[in-house]
Amino acid sequence: MKQSRVRLYVDHPLALGQSVPVSQTQAHYLFAVMRLTPGDVILVFNGRDGEFPAEIKQAGKRRGLLECQAQSRPLVMPPDLWLLFAPIKKARTAFIVEKAAEMGAAKIMPVRTDFTNSERLRRDRLQAHALEAAEQCGATYVPEVTDLVKLDQLLTDWPEDRQIMFCDETLAGAAQTLADNSSQKWAILIGPEGGFSKPEHTRLRAMKQAHAVSLGPRILRADTAAIAALTLWQTTLGDWA
Ligand code: SAH
């Protein structure tokens, strides 16, 4: 028997003594790629019940069975932070989703802005990236990746009590940064390569929930901006403090 470093997301209830079937893809990974055998112990989580060591009970070519031991870590929710970003090229969009999950965003929302030009979005693929990121970074929670929504529509229905950290490239170089704020609910908004349109900019500047911030004196690419913004938010208002 060995304690493996493998950490797997499973879409199944977890509790002490609970049997958990593994999918065909997971069976392939666990038994063919990682060469694990019955008696070996891995870690599993489902985004709801925390993390559990689980012993391999059956290892087949296409299926397998695990059994949960005592919970190793409780569910830890990230701060109530959404990341809104305009999708860019496929690989960079996937990168943003992966990093947002690692950095502790609670929800990841691709938005269509006036200057967004991206191919069709594969929500399921992006969700899988968030899941893999959670598996490898030790998170017990997996952020939801939503379908592409129009920024315009989103702002029309924007909740009264959710603040927006509006990353405004026109402020590059200004000393405007994130001020302390007691609100618990936040969203970070990152624009596309072309930046925000004039009407979007005007509208955002007029919203009382929006806080325009600069991310320093250089214009960052959207993927860099997303990580910088998440870092700034987490250190100022989030769970790094
Ligand atoms: N084409 C635009 C830059 C867009 S950068 C221009 O040249 O002005 C993509 C997005 O990253 C921006 O919409 C903004 O949300 C964010 N961003 C990049 N650099 C930034 C900075 N220095 N300050 C604030 N936001 C920034």
Side-chain angles (χ1 to χ4, degrees):
M1 174 199 132
K2 64 175 179 288
Q3 173 74 48
S4 152
R5 296 175 61 89
V6 170
R7 196 167 181 276
L8 216 59
Y9 170 88
V10 290
D11 186 11
H12 198 276
L14 299 175
L16 175 63
Q18 173 76 55
S19 290
V20 181
V22 300
S23 70
Q24 188 170 338
T25 338
Q26 289 176 329
H28 176 76
Y29 172 70
L30 292 174
F31 314 134
V33 181
M34 300 308 289
R35 308 221 162 263
L36 299 176
T37 54
D40 291 344
V41 176
I42 63 166
L43 289 172
V44 294
F45 69 107
N46 62 2
R48 303 186 299 273
D49 299 325
E51 179 194 81
F52 291 77
E55 185 185 327
I56 297 170
K57 289 292 184 185
Q58 291 168 26
K61 236 181 156 49
R62 291 198 181 75
R63 64 187 116 229
L65 200 65
L66 310 172
E67 188 183 295
C68 289
Q69 300 174 345
Q71 189 190 56
S72 42
R73 290 168 63 204
L75 172 70
V76 179
M77 293 292 289
D80 190 353
L81 173 67
W82 300 352
L83 176 69
L84 276 52
F85 72 101
I88 37 180
K89 288 199 186 72
K90 205 156 85 189
R92 285 181 186 270
T93 298
F95 177 88
I96 292 178
V97 169
E98 179 183 294
K99 299 309 156 204
E102 287 176 45
M103 296 286 292
K107 195 163 166 179
I108 303 171
M109 306 172 77
V111 293
R112 179 177 292 288
T113 65
D114 290 344
F115 298 154
T116 299
N117 47 12
S118 75
E119 319 109 70
R120 213 173 71 80
L121 212 68
R122 289 285 309 268
R123 200 205 68 80
D124 56 336
R125 292 244 176 94
L126 294 178
Q127 185 65 68
H129 282 297
L131 222 145
E132 274 165 32
E135 284 179 339
Q136 75 76 36
C137 77
T140 47
Y141 176 82
V142 183
E144 177 200 0
V145 182
T146 62
D147 272 320
L148 190 67
V149 274
K150 277 191 156 160
L151 179 63
D152 200 35
Q153 190 62 50
L154 201 62
L155 294 183
T156 302
D157 302 330
W158 194 257
E160 260 314 284
D161 61 345
R162 186 173 294 275
Q163 311 299 308
I164 303 177
M165 172 177 163
F166 165 39
C167 299
D168 180 356
E169 69 273 2
T170 67
L171 291 178
Q176 201 127 358
T177 182
L178 193 61
D180 223 341
N181 186 293
S182 60
S183 175
Q184 299 294 308
K185 298 182 180 181
W186 276 85
I188 290 173
L189 174 60
I190 307 285
E193 280 161 26
F196 291 100
S197 71
K198 192 109 188 114
E200 284 170 344
H201 190 259
T202 309
R203 180 172 188 187
L204 282 159
R205 279 309 197 106
M207 279 178 73
K208 65 175 191 314
Q209 300 99 318
H211 308 257
V213 302
S214 155
L215 297 174
R218 290 159 293 270
I219 299 284
L220 309 175
R221 297 186 78 133
D223 46 351
T224 319
I227 297 176
L230 283 157
T231 309
L232 177 58
W233 191 90
Q234 285 287 32
T235 48
T236 315
L237 303 170
D239 63 10
W240 289 20

